[in-house]
Every structure is written in C-alpha cells, then in structure tokens.
C-alpha cells in the first residue's frame, strides 16, 4: 500500500511538470519552424548560428500580433472590421461550428469572468445515495417559466476539465453547501479527487439524514 501510494504521489507531482515542459518545448519548436518557413517563402536563408534564436523571434512576433489585434479590437473601426469578418465566418457551415467552439473555449479560459460561482456544494446525483460536487451559479427564480420558484442553477464539473461539465437545475433545499473555497474545489476536480482540502474553512454542513421507512 505504501509503494502504491508513493507511486501515485509521484505521478501526481510529476505529471503537471512534464505536461508543462512538453507544452513549452512544443511552442519553442513550432515557433522556430514557423519563422523558418516564412523566411523561406521570401527566399531568405538563416545562418545556422542564428537558428536557435528563431523560436524566440517567433514568440516575439506572436506577442506583437496579439497585442496589435487587441488594440484593434478596442477601437470602434477595428471592432466593426472584426465583427464583419466574424459574420462572414458564421455563414460557412463547418467553419461556423469550429469558430463558435474555439470562441467559447477562449472566452472561458482568457475572457473576463461574467459568471462567478458563489460557492462549492454537493447534490445527490446521479441517484439517491450518491453525492456529486458542484458549483452554485445562481438562483433561477421566475426566469425560466413554467419552472416554479425555488430552484438553483448549479454546474456539475467533469474531471480533469471542469468547464466541460453540465448545468443542472436543482431544488434549492437539496443543494448542500460545503465550507471550502471554490479554488480548493476546483483542485479536487482537476486532480480527479486526489487533492482533497487539508482542512475546511469552517464546520462542514452535514449531509441530510434519510428518513426511516415505516415498518
């Protein structure tokens, strides 16, 4: 058991580091290949001495391009131009679906957080006796007729990518709040349950006791 636990601990520790290093290596190699291919289109050859510097030139060029597009998007005329290009892309059937999917992912990862989870909680899902961690979005109220009042929208995340979860409407009295931060709950989801909070911020809300069936 101790050997298995140490192997799992080592895996959880090394995996993020290895993935990060692999990603950085991929970006470094891709940037150099991109700049080298662009220079070949211009019939320009780079001396072998300067080849290791091409990835840095690619990263710098990408940063400058992103900055210029961001500055353009903040301008009125630039926004109109980008919206016109966006409308043209949305007219193409397959390209439209790809563009929307990438746009949603980009807004989720890098955009301003319009939706902020109020707290972490658990709900009895997918059946009675099983509890699933969720994030409270907001009470629904009367905004989804004919659904009556007294329901709360929660996001049930999936591991290891919480954003790929689904939104469920749950009776508000069945949402059990947890006395842990949203950040700790996200760590728990991303680590597939390995990283539990060391200690709660306060007394945990106890799970409701099942009513005894009459004999």
């Amino acid at each position: 058991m101790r050997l298995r636990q140490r192997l799992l601990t080592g895996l959880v520790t090394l995996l993020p580091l290895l993935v990060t290093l692999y990603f950085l290596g991929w970006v470094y190699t891709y940037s150099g290949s991109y700049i080298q291919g662009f220079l070949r289109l211009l019939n320009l050859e780079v001396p072998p001495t300067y080849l290791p510097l091409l990835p840095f030139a690619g990263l710098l060029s990408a940063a400058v391009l992103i900055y210029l597009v961001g500055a353009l998007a903040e301008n009125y005329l630039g926004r109109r131009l980008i919206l016109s290009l966006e409308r043209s892309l949305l007219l193409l059937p397959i390209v439209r679906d790809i563009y929307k999917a990438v746009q949603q992912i980009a807004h989720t990862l890098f955009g301003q957080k319009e939706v902020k989870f109020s707290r972490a909680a658990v709900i009895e899902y997918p059946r009675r006796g099983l509890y699933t961690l969720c994030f409270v979005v907001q009470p629904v109220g009367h905004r989804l007729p004919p659904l009556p009042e007294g329901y709360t929208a929660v996001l049930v995340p999936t591991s290891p990518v919480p954003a790929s979860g689904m939104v469920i409407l749950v009776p508000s009295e069945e949402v059990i709040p947890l006395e842990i931060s949203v950040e700790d709950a996200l760590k728990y989801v991303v680590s597939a349950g390995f990283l539990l909070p060391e200690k709660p911020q306060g007394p945990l809300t106890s799970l409701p006791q099942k009513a005894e069936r009459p004999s």
Side-chain angles (χ1 to χ4, degrees), residues 1 18 42-43 46 52 80 90-91 124 146 182 184 202-203 205:
M1 293 296 294
L18 294 177
L42 301 177
N43 294 324
V46 180
R80 300 295 300 179
L90 293 179
L91 295 176
E124 207 166 3
V182 174
D184 287 340
T205 303

Side-chain angles (χ1 to χ4, degrees), residues 119-122 176-182 184-185 197 199-206:
R119 67 183 308 160
V122 291
I176 306 170
L178 295 178
E179 299 299 333
I180 61 175
S181 65
V182 174
D184 287 340
K199 59 180 180 178
Q201 295 179 340
L204 285 173
T205 303
S206 59

Side-chain angles (χ1 to χ4, degrees), residues 121-125 129-133 173-178 203-211:
V122 291
I123 57 175
E124 207 166 3
Y125 178 86
L130 299 182
Y131 292 89
T132 300
L133 186 141
E173 66 272 11
E174 296 184 10
V175 179
I176 306 170
L178 295 178
L204 285 173
T205 303
S206 59
L207 297 179
Q209 299 294 328
K210 291 185 177 181

Side-chain angles (χ1 to χ4, degrees), residues 101-116 163:
V102 175
Q103 186 183 49
Q104 290 177 359
I105 294 174
H107 285 178
T108 301
L109 295 177
F110 307 111
Q112 294 182 350
K113 306 299 182 183
E114 297 180 358
V115 177
K116 294 184 178 180

Side-chain angles (χ1 to χ4, degrees), residues 8 12 45 57 81 98 133 147 149-151 195:
L8 291 176
V12 172
E45 289 293 336
L81 178 63
I98 298 175
L133 186 141
L147 189 70
E149 190 176 3
Y151 280 77
L195 297 181

Side-chain angles (χ1 to χ4, degrees), residues 66-77:
I66 293 173
Y67 174 81
L68 292 178
V69 172
L72 184 66
E74 292 180 352
N75 184 275
Y76 176 77
L77 295 178

Side-chain angles (χ1 to χ4, degrees), residues 148-164:
E149 190 176 3
Y151 280 77
T152 298
V154 301
L155 174 68
V156 176
T158 54
S159 298
V161 183
S164 62

Side-chain angles (χ1 to χ4, degrees), residues 89-103:
L89 292 175
L90 293 179
L91 295 176
L92 304 176
I94 299 178
V95 176
R96 173 180 57 203
D97 298 333
I98 298 175
Y99 178 80
K100 285 183 177 180
V102 175
Q103 186 183 49

